[in-house]
């Protein structure tokens, strides 16, 4: 299948996640109860207990309110202020994995469309990471419609790019969410694993952006 577009996960794929954990350590500790409740909320949503309607934003708030034992409005305020927007500032000046910017430019110059798809609102992250204006489509939750590994976000990304999923590759650092999710939507799922220890058998895996780019350029320019 001809490759026409590539989608990327953001967190842990474009930059190492330990960097945000380290930078935002005091923030994480300060809001630990909320963050644990939010992690449990996401787990419940992904487990399919609450995934059959399309008001995913409302569902997330309702489950979080239950986890926190508070009202809907309070849960919404806490999530929006402290989780969705609160840690954005920690992305300012964040160092990406080596070669990310130049790799993305090379792929774009080769005629490929590029997208990012995240389970969080993208907000100003790309601006702070120095990647503004590179991607043709920027899609985050809740506009993505569901959480990965559901196929819906991948299908929405392909639709926005106006590319058939079978002509797309998706690159992410989580096997179950990124690779299997995108493959379930008909794409080629690719694992980005910065350490060789995480290479999985039978899964196309790249350990650096220059390596990934070289391989893709060989394919699209032959
Ligand atoms: Mg990730």
């Amino acid at each position: 299948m001809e490759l026409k577009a590539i989608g990327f996960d953001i967190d842990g794929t474009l930059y190492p996640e330990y960097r945000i954990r380290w930078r935002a350590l005091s923030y994480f500790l300060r809001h630990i109860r909320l963050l644990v409740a939010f992690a449990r909320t996401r787990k419940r949503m992904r487990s399919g207990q609450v995934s059959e309607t399309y008001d995913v934003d409302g569902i997330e708030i309702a489950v979080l309110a239950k986890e926190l034992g508070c009202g809907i409005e309070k849960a919404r305020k806490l999530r929006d202020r402290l989780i969705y927007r609160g840690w954005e500032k920690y992305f300012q000046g964040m160092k990406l994995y080596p070669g990310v910017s130049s790799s993305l430019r090379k792929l774009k110059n080769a005629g490929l469309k590029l997208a990012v798809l995240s389970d969080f609102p993208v907000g100003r992250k790309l601006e702070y990471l120095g990647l503004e204006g590179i991607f043709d489509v920027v899609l985050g939750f809740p506009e993505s419609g569901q959480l990965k590994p559901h196929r819906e976000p991948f299908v929405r990304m392909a639709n926005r790019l106006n590319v058939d999923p079978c002509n797309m590759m998706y690159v992410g650092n989580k096997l179950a969410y990124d690779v299997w999710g995108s493959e379930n939507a008909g794409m080629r799922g690719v694992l980005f694993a910065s350490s060789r220890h995480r290479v999985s058998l039978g899964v196309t895996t790249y350990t650096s952006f220059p390596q990934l780019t070289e391989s893709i350029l060989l394919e699209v320019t032959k």
Side-chain angles (χ1 to χ4, degrees), residues 9 11-13 17 173-174 178:
D9 167 52
D11 304 302
T13 298
E17 271 185 315
N173 67 318
K174 291 213 167 102
D178 300 318

Side-chain angles (χ1 to χ4, degrees), residues 170-209:
Y170 186 75
V171 183
N173 67 318
K174 291 213 167 102
L175 187 62
Y177 297 170
D178 300 318
V179 178
W180 295 344
S182 59
E183 290 195 339
N184 194 30
M187 298 176 184
R188 248 196 279 172
V190 163
L191 187 69
F192 180 76
S194 60
S195 133
R196 277 164 207 274
H197 301 297
R198 298 180 47 219
V199 173
S200 300
L201 276 181
V203 177
T204 307
T205 305
Y206 295 106
T207 54
S208 80
F209 265 75

Side-chain angles (χ1 to χ4, degrees), residues 28-202:
F28 284 127
L29 294 175
R30 207 161 50 239
H31 303 295
I32 190 78
R33 188 174 160 259
L34 173 66
L35 294 170
V36 168
F38 186 74
R40 290 169 57 111
T41 298
R42 283 288 173 98
K43 199 173 171 194
R44 282 189 61 192
M45 291 175 73
R46 284 202 171 93
S47 72
Q49 294 174 55
V50 281
S51 69
E52 290 313 315
T53 95
Y54 280 86
D55 179 18
V56 281
D57 190 55
I59 292 168
E60 182 163 273
I61 292 298
V63 179
L64 182 63
K66 220 173 189 178
E67 290 288 345
L68 288 169
C70 71
I72 296 284
E73 274 322 300
K74 188 171 181 202
R76 181 179 294 283
K77 264 188 202 150
L78 286 171
R79 183 201 66 172
D80 290 355
R81 187 164 60 86
L82 295 173
I83 295 178
Y84 279 5
R85 287 194 303 272
W87 63 42
E88 205 175 64
K89 60 176 182 283
Y90 297 102
F91 284 85
Q92 291 188 60
M94 167 93 84
K95 256 177 88 183
L96 300 165
Y97 275 120
V100 169
S101 301
S102 59
S103 293
L104 293 173
R105 277 184 184 75
K106 280 182 193 166
L107 295 170
K108 207 172 164 72
N109 288 340
L112 291 160
K113 287 184 180 177
L114 303 179
V116 280
L117 167 65
S118 175
D119 279 342
F120 286 90
V122 179
R124 300 178 73 179
K125 265 188 194 174
L126 295 177
E127 179 194 327
Y128 290 155
L129 292 171
L131 296 175
E132 214 187 9
I134 290 183
F135 297 99
D136 301 282
V137 164
V138 174
L139 188 57
F141 189 85
E143 292 75 24
S144 56
Q146 289 281 3
L147 295 170
K148 297 182 270 185
H150 199 289
R151 62 194 295 278
E152 180 67 24
F154 299 99
V155 171
R156 283 194 190 191
M157 171 176 60
N159 285 344
R160 290 221 188 155
L161 285 163
N162 205 15
V163 171
D164 195 290
C166 70
N167 297 116
M168 278 199 73
M169 175 189 282
Y170 186 75
V171 183
N173 67 318
K174 291 213 167 102
L175 187 62
Y177 297 170
D178 300 318
V179 178
W180 295 344
S182 59
E183 290 195 339
N184 194 30
M187 298 176 184
R188 248 196 279 172
V190 163
L191 187 69
F192 180 76
S194 60
S195 133
R196 277 164 207 274
H197 301 297
R198 298 180 47 219
V199 173
S200 300
L201 276 181

